[in-house]
Amino acid sequence: MAAVAIQGLGHPRKRVEDARFIRGKGNYIDDMKLPGMLQVDIVRSPYAHAKIKAIRTDKALAVPGVLAVITGETLKQYNVHNMPTLMSDTQMVLPLDTVKYQFQEVAAVLGTDRYTAADGVAAVEVDYEPLPVVVDPFKALEPGAPKVRDDKESNHIWHWEWGDRAAADKAFDAAEVTVKENIYIPRIHVASIETCGCVAQWNATEGHLTLYMTTQAPHAIRTVVALITGHLGLSEEKIRIVSPDIGGGFGGKVPAYPGYVIAVALSIVTGAPVKWIEDRTENMAADSFGRDYHISAELAGKKDGTLTALRFKTIADHGYTDAAANPSKMPAGLFHIATGSYDFKNAFVEVDGVYTNKPPGGIAYRCSFRVTEAVHTIERMADLMAHEVGLDPADFRMKNFIKPEQFPYKSALGWEYDSGNYAGALQKAMDMVGYKELRKEQAEKRKRGEFMGIGISSFTEIVGAGPSKDFDILGLKMFDSCEIRVHPTGKAIARFGTKSQGQGHETTYAQILAEELGIPADHIKIEEGDTDTAPYGLGTYASRSTPTAGAAAAMAARKVRAKAKKIAAHLLEAAEEDLQWEQGKFFVKGSPDRAKTIQEIAFAAYTNHPQGMEAGLEAVSYYDPPNLTFPFGSYICVVDIDRGTGEVKVRRFVAVDDCGVRINPMIVEGQIHGGLAMGFAPALMEEISYDENGNIHGSNFTDYLLPTAVETPKWETGETVTPSPHHPIGAKGVGESATVGAPAAIANAVVDALWHLGVRHVDIPITPPKVWALLKEHGAALEE
Amino acid sequence: MAAVAIQGLGHPRKRVEDARFIRGKGNYIDDMKLPGMLQVDIVRSPYAHAKIKAIRTDKALAVPGVLAVITGETLKQYNVHNMPTLMSDTQMVLPLDTVKYQFQEVAAVLGTDRYTAADGVAAVEVDYEPLPVVVDPFKALEPGAPKVRDDKESNHIWHWEWGDRAAADKAFDAAEVTVKENIYIPRIHVASIETCGCVAQWNATEGHLTLYMTTQAPHAIRTVVALITGHLGLSEEKIRIVSPDIGGGFGGKVPAYPGYVIAVALSIVTGAPVKWIEDRTENMAADSFGRDYHISAELAGKKDGTLTALRFKTIADHGYTDAAANPSKMPAGLFHIATGSYDFKNAFVEVDGVYTNKPPGGIAYRCSFRVTEAVHTIERMADLMAHEVGLDPADFRMKNFIKPEQFPYKSALGWEYDSGNYAGALQKAMDMVGYKELRKEQAEKRKRGEFMGIGISSFTEIVGAGPSKDFDILGLKMFDSCEIRVHPTGKAIARFGTKSQGQGHETTYAQILAEELGIPADHIKIEEGDTDTAPYGLGTYASRSTPTAGAAAAMAARKVRAKAKKIAAHLLEAAEEDLQWEQGKFFVKGSPDRAKTIQEIAFAAYTNHPQGMEAGLEAVSYYDPPNLTFPFGSYICVVDIDRGTGEVKVRRFVAVDDCGVRINPMIVEGQIHGGLAMGFAPALMEEISYDENGNIHGSNFTDYLLPTAVETPKWETGETVTPSPHHPIGAKGVGESATVGAPAAIANAVVDALWHLGVRHVDIPITPPKVWALLKEHGAALEE
Amino acid sequence: MQFAGTVTIDAPRAEVWKFLTDPHAVGRCAPGLESLEIVIPDKQFKAVAAVGFGSVSVKFSVDVEWVELDPPNRGKLKGRGSAPGSAVEGSSEMILRDLPNGSTDMDWSADVVVFGTIASLASRLMGSLTRRLTGDFFNCVKAKIEG
Amino acid sequence: MQFAGTVTIDAPRAEVWKFLTDPHAVGRCAPGLESLEIVIPDKQFKAVAAVGFGSVSVKFSVDVEWVELDPPNRGKLKGRGSAPGSAVEGSSEMILRDLPNGSTDMDWSADVVVFGTIASLASRLMGSLTRRLTGDFFNCVKAKIEG
């Protein structure tokens, strides 16, 4: 057989998971069919706020094949009608007496199959008494506003602030120039193509629960389930969470939803496996949303364009319960990355969380805990200030960037940026796009009455949560893990506490291990998502897999290599210190032919290890990152605006990303393409809104506009490489960069196109009607 | 909730696996039904030796639902028509041209279900040309005997010897007394209630094989499969062996049988899961047998009864291929434990392996590699010598036992016995049974012409293979392993390289861990049998689980405890050296209230570990035992013989076992009861024999007599406890002691009953016809 | 959603009044009406009607109550209905005026709020659909009264 | 297994010979015979017969050959048969002698070896079964010839 290539770092290895995905052989939750499996479907509230006066189940129970209807009262017997959120708030599983948002779970119907259960749901009769609804967080904060939560003092959840308020205020008072804007980052939904679901399988004989579920964080879910159900005797060793293939996560599959608890409860009661799968509307209307931040942003600076201070004040709409998926100590996530790529001396941010009659949340939309909100705001504001002081937005950025020599850089809001070369990335993007020529073209077109805009976004992310000192979820430190076992024949299996949802972990983790051990990546099986087998980890979200579990992979591999060296010394009858490593083998210094390959060493680990050494060749690493990583990039977007329709046409989009060392350039490229599409979408198309009665708009793909290949622009990508100094392989994570960075480039381009009309800001999504109205307001619309 | 009891060592904890077994919820191979699963059935040879002239498959392929018929020619295309045995001999998977024993696999039929496949098997037409058959190993060694193997020089496989031949011969020459006897330990079958089988599941998309099979040694099987199929690209990381619940192993489920390879090949070709399950006759007639040792035994001694030397010469019938499941360097297993419990200064044993036209083998029948053969022989011979020198067999044994103060004791055949108190065990058995009164009763009955016998067996076993220096299987060292992971809530999961077949590992391993960690056994989930998850181990047989994996459990737990101590020190803000362990917690010396429980420490391991320490609380141990363990015991059997029928009635059976520290006395008791039944059975009932044409007798439960509750005597058990000095918890293993020790006690009792007639030996099984014939020969039979 | 309009019916006010306050009479013009039950005459009735909104079709059970009845001048009713996953609340008022030519003018207005699936799935369609349904309804009423 | 016996048939030797060397004639007495095919007259024939041994029932295809034929004195045949998982081999000889009363004595002997499932599953039953079957067979032959 020909030698198998090692395919370590930097190799554009084809995604091994695609072998099954492109053949339709993936194993998603809804593919699971267990013998005797039942199906649950959920009765949901048409009202956003109502008292439940009665739930009549007799007609539902008369539907052939309907086995049970359960309500909050049923669950209350076991004290599982409520559950804690990841932010230690309370969320109803099924209500006892009131519903708090439209499409909230009201009752659950168990049937022999999905159709039967749905028929049962249609036959459940619920009497509601509508209650006053509040959907606007500002109104929710007004005195006398309808109270969302009976168990709370008011609709104000928490106030959180970061930075030095007094110093910031002082800097503003002293500022030569200030700009201010109200920016709304609307509520959107991750809209994974696979909705959420689970199959709960209770083994009554063993008192053991297997819960197959679409979760991004299986271990955390296990511990949470154990903490919730401990009083029922369902302790942690009796719970196995299995997260099979996941058809998109993006943050939406971090929380636990009521459907999971309901399926588990019904499986325990019936002894049969119970499946719960959301339909599209349930997914869009009842799962945790993303964003919904109302930001009042101010920048201060000098006339020459030097930024001096930042003040952001935010109202965060959390819906009816604070079910955000954030590190527990950070109620507004990492929003305090708001100083972005700029060297601010003074900064202050504050956020107030508010209850409204909307679904619980929020989670990140493919972003590391509110980083998009921060990036969008600072990048929009940077453009405002640039224009205000009369600088080209590119020049303005170059002037204010943190300089390469300033790293590690301590921001005014407390973060220690690990590494960066912001000017390098922007310059590369400008070169790629032909910035100067575009500005010339724009000026010419403006003369002709054509609206062309150029937008820049020079974002800095903060990912890889996180160092155990500060980062935890319900107390669980945000380390992540890798276990590797090398088999006698030199092949290996490795497991991780993370869970790929499309990121390609099976491919890239093997490459890290291959790089470190010299075992071909094709000979390393990667597994995740089974709490019985994977080492404990906090899961995949917030671009943390490479920074944490990827680092753990390298560290575990190095432990294996250390043992391998001892075995090699034994086999070669040499001193350890006389051995030298060359990818895939140890040899005696100066005698390259006196060598033992990693495969020979592996066999010896089971057949001829030194007496006194334990057999086996394996290691585990629980990696506690010393810091976060700070990927960055500069995106430049060129738009043309149709004066007749208001349509924004993205003509060019250049994305230069710097995510440190690239494990698999092809996968990085793919992640960026996907991320750009998910930055483009909320910039121009996606939004979930509510009418004054709490009726959702955007609960289906007719109303909630996902971009398809038809709408999506052609992306032009480039790279710079500034390794993370503290990550074992210098990688930073890239899964979310483009989602975070893209919207501001598009919005800035649109405003840039309309600036001369007097337009200073447009909230995303920048839809044709919105643009057309602006054009019309400024007398620039073409009308028939 | 009430506190959960820890249930550590010595606790008669109920078997947790019984929850599923007694409810019919066990998960055995034949319970597995995978979607689209096909079934294979096997065409077998009616001849013990024949040339295959033609295999006609057309009628079989015409059976509706029959999908394929494969032969050796099919497999030869992939070079998998032969496979290596564990003794590096060659075994046919399917023959190309000749069959070598009756019921050998000839072709395989794949059908949509078991019935279809069986119909296909009946429709395959095979033309045979019968060849000369040799079933007697002595005849096989004669010049001109039919040659069993075309690829070998002769029917002689190997010669193996141990000890000092010259010194032994010299001692015999100088002996005052010698005794000699030819003893046949017949071929028997483990006859597990569950036959062998597998479900092979090839995933063509991933190039991955999952093989669910009834194996006692999953990891070794995986490596062997990888070594066999490496040339086909099926490498070790792409093979997962899962051994589900096993309905009895006893050694018979250590080897790989052709059916497994056939099922795998057919799954790979069809892409569908393929099940193969033996029927009873296939299991009895084609799987590896046990024993079949023809031993010519001699002892030398002084007139006062002092033993001086031992010489055993053995012809070992291995059938058509040497597929014995022994440590690879030991072709006759541990037969050189033949000096037993006695202090021999000189000993020599030799064994010659021989091919015959019989099924391949052999494996141990619930015994640690030929130990029963050795024990039966030395214990029968001890009785002969005792009678020869006119000593009571008990007194004779007491005189010759290795004394407690001699341990560790180096035997003349090279073993280092770890610990023992043989006289103590025998004395206890004698007290329990009332030995002196029985001898009186016997004398009185003999006067009345009644035949009553008292038999003693003071056996010493050798188990727990084994130290890596000497013990390997195909090079793989015979360590075993435990991995333990403690979850945040202080519950745990632990996995082992062994595989319970009824031994109760799920119960006892948890007790060892509970003892060491103070985590209640009920909070520790135990798993084995999945090569993807369990650490590498050599499997369960030869009473090795407690000596190796049980030791690994204790060692892994102690590693966990060492880390727990560091965390406790952090939590208590105390120095490690000031902490004291008390089962389940660490406390500050002198301040018992300044304590952290293991559960608190576990939570801290994920939520509040010291900075710089990795998160998690887990450890792996691959335990390389420094020595074997040497359980022992003394059994006394009292029989009455029916002069009219020859029936041997076991009136009393006292079994005093010393297996060192008892982890779970109830399980030890159960193991002894089961072992005694499996000692009783071959002593009186079980045998597989062949006629001169190679037709098997004993291929079904009508001809092969398993004892039921009706036949089985009432056992009286007792214990002494002599811990193993080198095992972490002092345990020795007990699963096979009774099987090994019981037959000699019964045989000795029968000979004792008939000694005065001149009977000196009866080969087992001591069936009524055999006894009646002896009685008749000596004029003592009652005839109508 | 609020709707209003005026319909001129070529019939005397009393006749128009009689027709419009008789649920069974009006019911014949109600689109998708499946059943009608008078609970308290001139006070309360129940109706079941199937309505299709685009791809969504639901059957509403509606409880209707006359909250004002000033024969033959002015009537006002309120209703609340529910369907699986949806609900509707609304009120409607009519004022009859004699026309010189013996005909009657009816000024009508309605205020309808929908909740749930219908609201979220079919909101884009609601306005035009409602216009079409009310148009059909009043044409029918006119035709029936005018005979 | 070896069997032998003598049967006295109340018929002339030639007649007995003729019957016993006619497979179709003898076949009528063969237990479980399902088909019979003459391959070479007076030399070779094939038979298919179902035989039950205790719980085991198998259908044997047997090839039979006359290896000696000395009419009307002595005949010897050999056969080999197979069934799924089983095989049988055997030979049989008959010697006819005139009796003074015009009857014929037939001395017969048979040597049968079985292999495979039948041998291993049914060996305990084989002796008694064979005795019963041969008894039935010769009673039938006697009856048929004596007519």
Side-chain angles (χ1 to χ4, degrees), chain A residues 1 16-17 19-21 23 25 205-206 208 222-223 226-227 230-231 233 235-238 240 468-469 474-477 479 483 485 487-493 495 506 522-525 527 531-536 555 559 563 603 605-609 611-618 620-624, chain B residues 1 16-17 19-21 23 25 205-206 208 222-223 226-227 230-231 233 235-238 240 468-469 474-477 479 483 485 487-493 495 506 522-525 527 531-536 555 559 563 603 605-609 611-618 620-624:
Chain A
M1 258 193 325
V16 294
E17 40 274 271
R20 60 179 188 279
F21 293 160
R23 286 173 175 85
K25 300 282 189 188
T205 306
E206 313 257 323
H208 181 274
R222 184 188 70 193
T223 302
L227 293 172
H231 65 287
S235 66
E236 199 169 5
E237 86 286 6
K238 299 216 184 301
R240 178 181 172 204
S468 64
K469 199 161 59 64
L474 293 176
L476 297 161
K477 300 299 186 187
F479 56 84
E483 174 196 58
R485 243 178 215 151
H487 305 320
T489 59
K491 316 301 192 290
I493 186 167
R495 292 192 167 87
E506 286 168 60
D522 283 352
H523 287 167
I524 304 172
K525 181 177 177 183
E527 281 195 3
T531 57
D532 257 17
T533 62
Y536 207 101
M555 300 309 272
K559 290 182 192 181
K563 180 168 182 179
F603 198 66
Y606 297 89
T607 60
N608 185 21
H609 45 90
Q611 284 295 312
M613 173 188 277
E614 289 194 17
L617 191 57
E618 63 169 80
V620 186
S621 169
Y622 289 86
Y623 186 78
D624 181 2
Chain B
M1 257 192 328
V16 293
E17 40 274 271
R20 61 180 188 276
F21 293 160
R23 286 173 176 85
K25 300 281 190 189
T205 306
E206 313 257 325
H208 181 275
R222 184 188 70 192
T223 303
L227 293 172
H231 65 287
S235 67
E236 199 169 6
E237 87 285 7
K238 299 217 184 300
R240 177 181 173 204
S468 64
K469 199 160 61 64
L474 294 176
L476 297 162
K477 299 299 186 186
F479 57 84
E483 175 195 57
R485 242 177 217 153
H487 305 320
T489 59
K491 315 302 191 291
I493 186 167
R495 293 192 167 86
E506 286 169 59
D522 283 353
H523 287 165
I524 305 172
K525 182 177 176 183
E527 280 195 4
T531 58
D532 258 16
T533 61
Y536 207 101
M555 301 308 273
K559 290 183 191 179
K563 179 166 184 180
F603 198 66
Y606 297 88
T607 59
N608 184 21
H609 45 91
Q611 285 294 313
M613 172 189 278
E614 288 194 17
L617 190 57
E618 62 170 82
V620 186
S621 168
Y622 288 87
Y623 186 77
D624 181 2

Side-chain angles (χ1 to χ4, degrees), chain B residues 44 46-47 102-103 122 128-130 281 693 695-697 699-700 702-703, chain D residues 80-81 84-89 113-117 119-121 123-124:
Chain B
R44 291 175 183 274
Y47 294 101
Q102 193 186 58
F103 285 109
Y128 297 98
E129 180 183 316
T281 291
N693 294 311
N695 285 314
I696 187 173
H697 291 159
S699 67
N700 56 78
T702 311
D703 295 320
Chain D
R80 176 182 290 177
S86 296
V88 62
E89 291 183 22
V113 187
V114 291
F115 302 89
T117 306
S120 72
L121 281 183
S123 58
R124 281 169 294 99

Side-chain angles (χ1 to χ4, degrees), chain A residues 603-728:
Chain A
F603 198 66
Y606 297 89
T607 60
N608 185 21
H609 45 90
Q611 284 295 312
M613 173 188 277
E614 289 194 17
L617 191 57
E618 63 169 80
V620 186
S621 169
Y622 289 86
Y623 186 78
D624 181 2
N627 189 7
L628 297 151
T629 61
F630 296 75
F632 59 94
S634 271
Y635 294 171
I636 302 181
C637 173
V638 183
V639 301
D640 298 304
I641 293 174
D642 186 318
R643 292 174 57 193
T645 62
E647 191 193 359
V648 174
K649 175 85 187 163
V650 175
R651 189 211 308 175
R652 304 266 314 268
F653 198 105
V654 166
V656 173
D657 271 281
D658 191 323
C659 57
V661 171
R662 294 187 171 204
I663 300 163
N664 181 323
M666 190 176 68
I667 285 186
V668 169
E669 191 82 355
Q671 294 246 50
I672 292 169
H673 276 233
L676 288 171
M678 288 182 77
F680 168 83
L684 297 179
M685 302 166 77
E686 296 178 353
E687 178 170 16
I688 286 180
S689 62
Y690 293 83
D691 70 16
E692 72 281 7
N693 296 310
N695 286 314
I696 185 172
H697 291 158
S699 67
N700 56 77
F701 285 166
T702 311
D703 294 318
Y704 189 79
L705 302 175
L706 291 189
T708 69
V710 173
E711 292 82 16
T712 306
K714 183 178 181 307
W715 312 113
E716 301 167 57
T717 58
E719 65 174 293
T720 60
V721 175
T722 309
S724 169
H726 63 77
H727 186 278

